[in-house]
Amino acid sequence: MKDVFHNISTSTLGHLTDTGYLSDIKSQVPNQKMVGRIVTARIYPPDAGILREALIKAQAGDALAIECAVNDHYACWGELRNLAAQIKKLAGVIIAGNITDISALRSQPFPIFARGVSALTTRTRTNAQSGEINIPVTLSGVIVKPGDIAIGDDDGLFVFSENYANEVLKLAQIKERQDRVKRKELLSKLIPPSSKAV
């Protein structure tokens, strides 16, 4: 079901609903579309050791959604984790917190949604590992559950339950068709620059 959202823009969804919109989490790698079924993780910075287990458990096509509890100033995602996620063929990653190694991340064609960038990074502690996997998490004030559907692009990011995604999809497909007709009509009325009077 999630595959059909690849042709739906988030701006179309934003015309129809504000449910599930993660307002302060933005695309950090331009020109990337993410559609995936969510796997969740909650970390307690500066410890982010649980992300290794989350990456192991995630399956191809999943979108990893990370809640940074208590302190979100630390970056929990960088170049090496990003490469591991691509090897697993994940759909992308959503972080209610920061990322690091931004130049390297932007050189890789992999969708990353986060609040910002930081040089202060999480660490994997050798004697303790805190955090949870596949539990409800809170991102931008929205409760996100394992199995929800994430749809993200340069304009923003939505997370829907599967039932709500089915409802919105029908309306979004109608709007996309209407917009294509309107776009074609408007483009036909444009005067080519070469034909304008000098």
Side-chain angles (χ1 to χ4, degrees):
M1 195 283 284
K2 59 185 176 62
D3 294 336
V4 293
F5 274 100
H6 276 288
N7 297 320
I8 305 294
S9 69
T10 58
S11 62
T12 294
L13 298 174
H15 277 284
L16 302 170
T17 184
D18 57 4
T19 297
Y21 181 57
L22 305 188
S23 59
D24 65 345
I25 299 179
K26 307 296 182 185
S27 173
Q28 303 295 323
V29 181
N31 303 315
Q32 297 296 313
K33 180 67 179 274
M34 177 182 69
V35 179
R37 193 172 297 280
I38 285 180
V39 170
T40 67
R42 179 184 291 129
I43 64 170
Y44 296 87
D47 183 13
I50 198 73
L51 291 184
R52 181 179 182 276
E53 185 179 346
L55 280 168
I56 290 171
K57 289 190 173 182
Q59 301 296 312
D62 287 343
L64 179 58
I66 303 167
E67 176 189 354
C68 299
V70 183
N71 189 335
D72 62 0
H73 298 300
Y74 291 87
C76 68
W77 195 266
E79 182 181 13
L80 299 184
R81 283 198 174 115
N82 210 54
L83 291 170
Q86 290 174 76
I87 290 169
K88 292 284 298 208
K89 300 187 185 305
L90 299 192
V93 63
I94 304 163
I95 303 163
N98 294 317
I99 58 174
T100 195
D101 303 329
I102 188 62
S103 294
L105 298 186
R106 287 180 177 163
S107 73
Q108 301 170 19
F110 183 75
I112 302 170
F113 293 80
R115 286 188 181 141
V117 179
S118 175
L120 185 64
T121 66
T122 55
R123 303 94 196 239
T124 300
R125 296 178 177 175
T126 56
N127 296 324
Q129 182 170 295
S130 61
E132 298 89 28
I133 298 173
N134 275 340
I135 46 90
V137 296
T138 302
L139 312 179
S140 298
V142 176
I143 296 175
V144 175
K145 298 177 181 178
D148 285 350
I149 307 297
I151 306 104
D153 58 26
D154 286 344
D155 288 326
L157 174 65
F158 283 88
V159 174
F160 299 140
S161 69
E162 187 160 8
N163 286 340
Y164 190 71
N166 279 318
E167 293 178 24
V168 173
L169 176 62
K170 296 170 186 176
L171 297 174
Q173 289 173 325
I174 292 170
K175 178 160 178 52
E176 290 272 353
R177 285 195 295 269
Q178 292 171 339
D179 286 353
R180 282 194 294 270
V181 172
K182 188 66 174 177
R183 187 180 302 111
K184 185 176 180 180
E185 177 187 331
L186 292 172
L187 287 171
S188 70
K189 294 180 180 179
L190 284 176
I191 301 172
S194 58
S195 66
K196 289 182 179 177
V198 178

